Amino acid sequence: MTNMKDIFQHLKGRRVFITGHTGFKGSWLAFLLHEIGADVMGFALSPATTPSHFDLLNLSQKIKHVEGDIRDASTLSKTLNDFQPEFVFHLAAQALVRPSYDDPTATFSTNVLGSVHLLDAVRQCESVRSLVYITSDKCYENVEWIWGYRENDPLGGRDPYSASKAAAEIVFSSYERSFFTHRPLLGAASTRAGNVIGGGDWAVDRIIPDCIRAINADNPIRLRSPNATRPWQHVLEPLAGYLLLAVRLYEEPQRWNGSWNFGPSTHEVRTVQNVAEIIIDHLGRGNIEIVESQTQVHEARLLQLNCDKAHQLLNWYPRWNADTTLKATALWYKAIMEGQDAEQITRTQIHAFFPELT
């Protein structure tokens, strides 16, 4: 893995604009950039959960916080242009598969049209030198083969969420080829990360938050698909990739554009049941109940990424294996359950992951 010290130094004092900073990944990114010393502005809806990592970190007092909807094109564009950022990270999204069945219109309008608004705002903002446009590993047409998907594999999606992310990638490709290649000082890339876990996630229908809620309520952890596998990685893994890629795009825009996968080794895949068992072990309590799904919605059982491009060209590799990732995640929640300060435990884990910050 590339030593990140120079990357952090490059970002220190830079104006960085983040969409979706009130979400799980976005709050970790905003806090990390604040720790680095960047000048951060976030644009997002208010936190979707209570509690939220954003609120626990008191991020509204640490960065420039703007509440807004990326479907509101004029407000988004004005906010971006007033700030005149050098770096943009686009994370705002409806980020869950099962809710996309309940409200596909909101999913497509946020993930596709909202992304169009962000890209068009960047198109009109000359200060932007680096754009990292985050989608999802679910943008690939998943045929559930055992090989990892590569950046040039077909896009698609059976469920509305996956289809919206594939569509967002097509939109990005269009903007990149139609507009961004004509700006020699702008580097733009899309990124696709495998299933991300870590402290501070309270979303519904995600394995770690579901485990924590069940354990807190002294209820069994109910698993619909215990044998489903995912490429579990700590939230800081793809964020390291995004920051590394962002700086490379700034330095050599045309060399690093395109699409990039950031995921764990295929040897680090774990089943949903194994994840739940490890969480129980670290928290010291809880039990599992296998239940039959009550819905007919399709859920992929196998999905993993091929990250050779990031390994060989960016020298990006995961720092933590699955066991370390699950331990850090469980201990984050355990600390919160014991009344410890979320800001301190988050900072401690960031410094453990990035010794370059110490």
Side-chain angles (χ1 to χ4, degrees), residues 194-267:
N195 276 42
V196 173
I197 61 175
D201 185 5
W202 277 280
V204 175
D205 248 346
R206 282 170 58 86
I207 179 61
I208 301 295
D210 285 351
C211 287
I212 299 303
R213 277 188 288 268
I215 291 170
N216 263 330
D218 291 322
N219 292 328
I221 299 169
R222 308 183 78 199
L223 302 180
R224 293 187 306 271
S225 303
N227 296 319
T229 62
R230 291 289 184 272
W232 311 104
Q233 63 178 330
H234 194 272
V235 61
L236 290 172
E237 302 281 14
L239 296 189
Y242 302 164
L243 295 180
L244 173 58
L245 178 60
V247 171
R248 294 290 179 259
L249 286 166
Y250 186 101
E251 294 171 335
E252 298 180 86
Q254 304 309 312
R255 178 179 177 185
W256 303 101
N257 59 8
S259 298
W260 300 81
N261 287 342
F262 295 104
S265 164
T266 55
H267 300 295

Side-chain angles (χ1 to χ4, degrees), residues 69-95:
D69 191 326
I70 59 171
R71 292 173 292 184
D72 179 353
S74 60
T75 301
L76 173 61
S77 182
K78 184 179 188 306
T79 305
L80 181 77
N81 277 277
D82 286 349
F83 185 54
Q84 289 287 293
E86 299 160 275
F87 292 85
V88 174
F89 294 89
H90 175 48
L91 290 89
Q94 192 298 97

